[in-house]
Amino acid sequence: MAARIEQRTAPLRRAALDTTENLIVFMPEKEPRGIWSEIPSGEILQRRLARARREGPRGQVLETDLPNAIGTRVTLEALPAEISTFELLSKARAHVQRHRDHGARSIGVAMPGLVEALSARVVDAVSAAALAADAPMPDFRSRPERRRRLAGLRFHGVSQRVDLARTRAEAEGNALARELTMLPPNELTPRRYRRRISALAREEGWTMRFLDSQALRRQRAGAFLAVVQGSDTDDAGIVELRYRPATRRANSRELCLVGKGLCYDTGGVNLKPARYMQGMHEDMAGSAVALGTLLALTRLRAPFPIRCWLALAQNHIGPRAYKPGDVVTASNGTTIEVVHTDAEGRMVLADTLALASRSDPALIIDYATLTGSCIQALGTTYSGAVTNRDALREDIVRAGRASGERVWPFPFDADYDRGLESRIADVRQCTLEGEADHILAARFLSRFVGDKPWIHIDLAAGSHKGGLAHVPTDTTGFGVRFTLDLLYGQQVLQGVK
């Protein structure tokens, strides 16, 4: 059960402090006159903070126990007025983690002197961090680590109550994405993945269709089928999920979510070395993010219809595996010259995007752990984006900043296509040079969405050692929070054409 979250307009009082074993205090970086008198035991905290600042950097976190009856553990930090969402989420996670390490059952949060807008952001950030930390993740150890989950959060001094419905929906979608992505490859084969999706669809009221290899042959989905022909088990396919709102907004058009679901990627004939094959069970993260986003939107009762397309496959090596030099035909008739079998993600997405575009959606968003070059360009604290609508570029950046899941758009100029020219087919799958591969991959994929508005998210930040922003695990589930801000905060669906 998720932690109970209370929001109180009254500031923290002495009586409440003496029943609060763990307390986070966020205060303004520029201390207003008299602020310490607003905090019980404020004089003690002021003296200890001053001593800590003399002994170390000014921006450090004060962690101390108060000399009250229960020895309240306090972490205190001053926040700059214009703190970014990413930094605020990161600080919230650090504070929550300190108290969880101390065995906290519940946490109080005081916000003396913060302006209304910043206090609202603190409520969202700390709630998001607590929910992310409490989400159970796969653990197959014979003696798994047992950690006490938080029973509650209590915010004091909230200027105006914050609606946390979106925060909770994002947390649930992110937890689903992380849980699925962390599952080992023998636990999440395409067949088992499909069963998990089917059970979830029944619970959530989604309709589900599965296009197996036979159905995909009828669709002439040669790009997808080329990748999976090396597998001994015929369990790959494309899942289509449909969400229909109970009450539909007037003139609302359909959103399409598309996810790359490579449950394991050996690289195929172009076999990966051990270092790069490690962790390849997480090559299905894009599909998990698409599914988590669908769940979050369902929780929010989104007033627009949604289709979610998940490409479930494995890229195996074997005598029947596809090979460099093969020419295959995708479901939209495009012929593809295979160059490198480890560029399988764009192959399975090609047919999936072609199918998704047939329903004339208002917007297609695809998620994929697609290229190493995107990680080389951005590291793993940002994800990359490409769109075929210039008007969406600023919305993408704003949504990344507002959500704390930062995304940076890359060029989409047509002259990049020269690198994909083939003498034998309509397009080359990739190049061997690897230069700007994240952009070339997006140019390749754009051939399969036609003129439909489209955003491609290359999940460079899908895995980040030590966690990212409010998420404490290396597997970040990056993309759910970003997408909800894109749709609700930036109102992209209303403006896209």
Side-chain angles (χ1 to χ4, degrees):
M1 181 177 291
R4 181 183 179 188
I5 302 175
E6 298 180 57
Q7 300 180 53
R8 298 185 173 185
T9 56
L12 180 68
R13 305 295 187 193
R14 169 66 64 180
L17 177 65
D18 287 342
T19 60
T20 302
E21 293 184 352
N22 294 270
L23 176 67
I24 300 170
V25 179
F26 284 122
M27 57 188 296
E29 192 172 55
K30 296 181 179 179
E31 299 172 10
R33 186 184 301 273
I35 189 172
W36 293 106
S37 64
E38 299 179 19
I39 311 170
S41 300
E43 291 182 3
I44 296 172
L45 291 172
Q46 184 180 21
R47 287 197 302 270
R48 292 180 181 178
L49 180 61
R51 184 170 64 246
R53 285 173 171 172
R54 287 194 300 270
E55 296 172 355
R58 180 176 177 81
Q60 71 178 358
V61 176
L62 172 67
E63 184 171 2
T64 188
D65 292 339
L66 291 177
N68 58 352
I70 61 172
T72 300
R73 171 64 59 94
V74 178
T75 58
L76 182 149
E77 188 169 8
L79 300 178
E82 300 301 323
I83 187 170
S84 70
T85 303
F86 174 80
E87 188 177 2
L88 182 57
L89 287 167
S90 301
K91 289 181 181 295
R93 170 166 65 101
H95 281 268
V96 168
Q97 189 63 52
R98 285 172 183 257
H99 289 286
R100 281 171 58 87
D101 290 344
H102 189 60
R105 190 79 181 100
S106 62
I107 300 175
V109 184
M111 302 173 287
L114 294 189
V115 297
E116 182 176 316
L118 183 52
S119 70
R121 294 176 63 207
V122 166
V123 172
D124 167 68
V126 175
S127 299
L131 292 168
D134 268 358
M137 292 293 126
D139 191 340
F140 294 89
R141 290 175 290 187
S142 56
R143 293 185 179 179
E145 181 181 1
R146 294 190 179 277
R147 301 202 66 180
R148 181 183 284 185
R149 298 181 69 188
L150 286 178
L153 282 174
R154 180 175 292 170
F155 293 90
H156 301 270
V158 176
S159 303
Q160 187 172 352
R161 191 178 184 280
V162 180
D163 184 357
L164 292 172
R166 201 167 99 192
T167 307
R168 288 187 179 276
E170 289 165 348
E172 192 171 352
N174 172 272
L176 175 64
R178 285 190 288 147
E179 179 204 351
L180 290 170
T181 305
M182 287 184 188
L183 287 172
N186 58 325
E187 290 290 331
L188 197 75
T189 63
R191 176 172 285 114
R192 291 187 176 189
Y193 197 177
R194 187 175 78 247
R195 289 173 181 165
R196 175 73 181 268
I197 296 167
S198 180
L200 190 59
R202 287 193 298 272
E203 293 170 9
E204 301 300 329
W206 306 327
T207 58
M208 175 176 168
R209 178 171 66 125
F210 180 64
L211 300 173
D212 60 12
S213 58
Q214 186 174 351
L216 290 172
R217 278 191 285 272
R218 290 195 295 269
Q219 296 285 343
R220 299 182 179 179
F224 185 102
L225 292 170
V227 173
V228 304
Q229 71 190 36
S231 298
D232 287 339
T233 305
D234 185 13
D235 59 354
I238 298 175
V239 171
E240 178 193 13
L241 298 167
R242 296 189 68 182
Y243 160 86
R244 295 179 177 88
T247 55
R248 183 168 176 172
R249 189 168 54 202
N251 301 320
S252 64
R253 291 174 59 204
E254 187 174 84
L255 169 70
C256 271
L257 306 172
V258 177
K260 172 190 170 186
L262 263 291
C263 296
Y264 200 79
D265 177 20
T266 67
V269 170
N270 296 118
L271 190 66
K272 293 176 182 286
R275 178 183 174 189
Y276 294 103
M277 203 183 297
Q278 185 68 31
M280 277 300 105
H281 62 288
E282 295 200 354
D283 209 19
M284 41 63 64
S287 64
V289 171
L291 191 62
T293 302
L294 177 62
L295 179 63
L297 290 169
T298 302
R299 289 287 177 271
L300 292 174
R301 297 179 178 147
F304 43 85
I306 306 166
R307 289 188 204 233
C308 184
W309 298 83
L310 309 174
L312 309 186
Q314 299 192 75
N315 186 21
H316 280 160
I317 189 168
R320 293 185 292 111
Y322 83 130
K323 13 178 224 310
D326 286 355
V327 174
V328 299
T329 305
S331 56
N332 69 347
T334 300
T335 56
I336 302 165
E337 177 190 355
V338 176
V339 175
H340 199 300
T341 62
D342 198 21
E344 86 298 327
R346 66 201 75 185
M347 299 290 282
V348 299
L349 283 175
D351 281 318
T352 311
L353 287 167
L355 291 171
S357 66
R358 291 178 184 177
S359 63
D360 193 30
L363 176 65
I364 300 172
I365 307 176
D366 82 73
Y367 311 86
T369 47
L370 201 65
T371 66
S373 66
C374 191
I375 294 174
Q376 290 171 356
L378 294 173
T380 58
T381 61
Y382 267 74
S383 285
V386 171
T387 179
N388 59 1
R389 294 293 190 275
D390 286 342
L392 291 176
R393 292 169 62 86
E394 290 185 7
D395 291 317
I396 289 168
V397 174
R398 281 196 295 264
R401 287 175 176 162
S403 67
E405 290 190 333
R406 300 171 299 179
V407 176
W408 195 254
F410 284 99
F412 189 65
D413 301 278
D415 58 285
Y416 278 98
D417 287 345
R418 284 198 290 270
L420 298 177
E421 291 175 355
S422 170
R423 296 181 179 179
I424 195 171
D426 296 328
V427 64
R428 296 177 82 206
Q429 171 202 32
C430 62
T431 68
L432 290 177
E433 289 75 18
E435 183 179 329
D437 185 50
H438 51 302
I439 300 173
L440 295 181
R443 289 299 306 181
F444 175 88
L445 292 177
S446 70
R447 294 170 174 263
F448 303 93
V449 297
D451 62 352
K452 306 299 186 296
W454 166 66
I455 298 171
H456 162 63
I457 306 296
D458 196 330
L459 293 170
S463 180
H464 180 77
K465 189 173 183 179
L468 190 64
H470 59 300
V471 176
T473 53
D474 292 359
T475 302
T476 65
F478 186 107
V480 177
R481 190 174 165 98
F482 162 78
T483 305
L484 264 62
D485 196 278
L486 187 72
L487 298 176
Y488 287 92
Q490 312 306 316
Q491 300 295 319
V492 158
L493 272 186
Q494 293 185 12
V496 72
K497 293 181 182 178

